[in-house]
Amino acid sequence: QQQQQQQPSPMMDPLAVLRHQQMISRQRRRPLAPAKLKRLEKQMMMFVPNLTDEKRRGTAEKREQLRRKVEDKLRSEWPDGRVHLFGSSVTGLYNKASDMDMCLAVVPPPMTEEQRAKRREKLKEERQQRKLERRQRRKEWREQKRLEEMMQLGIAADQAKLVLQNEAEEKKAEDSEDDEEEEEEEEEDPVVPLVERMAELLDADPAFDDILALPRARVPIVKFHDRELDVPCDIGVNNMLAVYNSRLVRTYGLIDKRMIDLCMIVKLWAKQRKINDPYRGTLSSYAYVMMVINFLQLREPAVLPSLQVLKKRSVMVDNFDCGFLEDVDEARAALLAANNGVRNTESVARLLVGFMRFWTHEFNYREMTSCVRLGTVITKASKEWNVNQKRNRHWISIEDPFETTHDLGRVVDRTALREIRREFRRAHDILFERHDVEAMVEPYTQEWRGA
């Protein structure tokens, strides 16, 4: 019964797959010595509980109470509306300091032509401002990274600044192309008046403060603060893809708790090393979670199955199939059958070393795409995500499991990928040579820059 749904075979270039397999075989390093692994495991037993505190269960109950309070408030305006939680509040990848993400599911009212005209004018002004801010962020981030690198190599400050000026000129065309692409894709959003009205309703309630409406952001939201829980909140409109993404991640975490532990460590590491900001050209926390899940799907024996391959029905959201197997016991049984009755018993420490090794030495960045949806890696060519296309940067390719046309690595350019891969290599070397997870997550400074 478990074998009635077989994993589909993605369209792949056989030569690319062979090169990927050869790279894994050629670059795989010997495992940690038992004594070193035991030391790392002992350290992890003390380190992980501080990140995944069981006391968060009480916090989860209070957050559900807050969700209902916000929903009751907004239903005074939209009686049929419903507020959903998503993000870390659902996935379990949060701590007491995490913010709370919500979305209001509601049908927006029709707009008049006069309203459309005013909105188009405002969008034009906001678009120009965002373009300038985006260029400035990219420029500052690139200059900071390159200056630190050249100083480490002993290049004089004056000479380093001259190099930076030349590189800045070369980046202007690339930034211009990105701006043009985003400008072409951007359209007026009918949820803008809904976001503005939400802000008014929340501002009128003394239970909330620090109200900030961002109706013309890329994802229109209202930011606010709940006084009782002392937690910052974001609420948008009809972002149901994010809701289903969060439910998918939550289900993977329920199948095997090691996934939660590993994600918490990786998210902390990425934050401390300053490589988790998509607005500055690096990966989002969600992208790192997808990288962890895909890695666990690829272990032998596998730690996680592909829940979308095992789905029993399709659930269409914004023309994307968001169906997946939500029954945890059934998913575990299917995983055990696929592993021929063998369970993966690797410790979180061993998996952490394996994760850093995979993304340092084994993944073929040039030709392959990480694919949680199928539980494997597929070629960029099969997605038409070839990196040499002029306006399509896919230097690191990570498919969104539901919005399959979205590459989570699309924000990363060549320079940022080099920094991300250096951080992976640094983390792997520290774990492999010093077996010290605390050193791995030390805040970023200029102390390490490999060749």
Side-chain angles (χ1 to χ4, degrees), residues 292-308:
V292 169
I293 293 174
N294 195 213
F295 161 75
L296 295 176
Q297 292 172 326
L298 294 168
R299 294 302 280 175
E300 296 181 2
V303 178
L304 295 174
S306 169
L307 294 176
Q308 289 166 271

Side-chain angles (χ1 to χ4, degrees), residues 61-181:
E61 294 174 359
K62 292 182 178 179
R63 290 181 178 227
E64 172 59 21
Q65 294 175 5
L66 173 56
R67 183 202 68 80
R68 290 196 296 266
K69 180 169 65 174
V70 173
E71 183 176 76
D72 291 343
K73 183 66 179 179
L74 298 182
R75 277 185 170 177
S76 64
E77 181 80 12
W78 301 284
D80 296 329
R82 184 178 178 185
V83 172
H84 298 272
L85 296 178
F86 68 94
S88 60
S89 298
V90 174
T91 63
L93 301 174
Y94 70 93
N95 52 45
K96 293 180 180 179
S98 298
D99 60 3
M100 186 168 174
D101 297 308
M102 294 177 273
C103 87
L104 172 66
V106 66
V107 178
M111 298 170 55
T112 66
E113 285 301 321
E114 182 180 356
Q115 289 174 327
R116 291 180 184 277
K118 290 181 179 179
R119 187 161 300 114
R120 280 194 293 267
E121 186 63 29
K122 290 182 179 179
L123 280 172
K124 183 177 180 181
E125 296 175 0
E126 295 289 334
R127 184 185 302 130
Q128 183 63 26
Q129 182 62 30
R130 287 198 301 272
K131 183 187 298 185
L132 296 174
E133 292 174 354
R134 184 167 54 248
R135 286 181 177 177
Q136 185 62 26
R137 285 196 301 267
R138 287 173 176 168
K139 179 182 177 182
E140 291 174 356
W141 186 84
R142 287 170 179 152
E143 289 182 352
Q144 177 188 4
K145 291 288 185 179
R146 288 290 290 140
L147 184 59
E148 291 165 356
E149 185 178 80
M150 287 186 285
M151 294 295 286
Q152 286 292 314
L153 295 174
I155 299 176
D158 292 343
Q159 186 177 355
K161 290 179 180 179
L162 181 59
V163 173
L164 288 176
Q165 291 176 0
N166 293 334
E167 291 181 348
E169 292 297 325
E170 296 174 358
K171 288 294 182 181
K172 281 184 179 180
E174 180 181 333
D175 288 340
S176 177
E177 288 172 359
D178 291 338
D179 292 335
E180 290 174 4
E181 180 182 12

Side-chain angles (χ1 to χ4, degrees), residues 28 34 46 80 120 124 172 177 208 229 320 399 426 445 448 450:
R28 188 185 299 274
M46 301 176 63
D80 296 329
R120 280 194 293 267
K124 183 177 180 181
K172 281 184 179 180
E177 288 172 359
F208 311 117
L229 285 186
F320 293 104
E399 181 194 77
R426 170 191 173 274
T445 62
W448 187 90

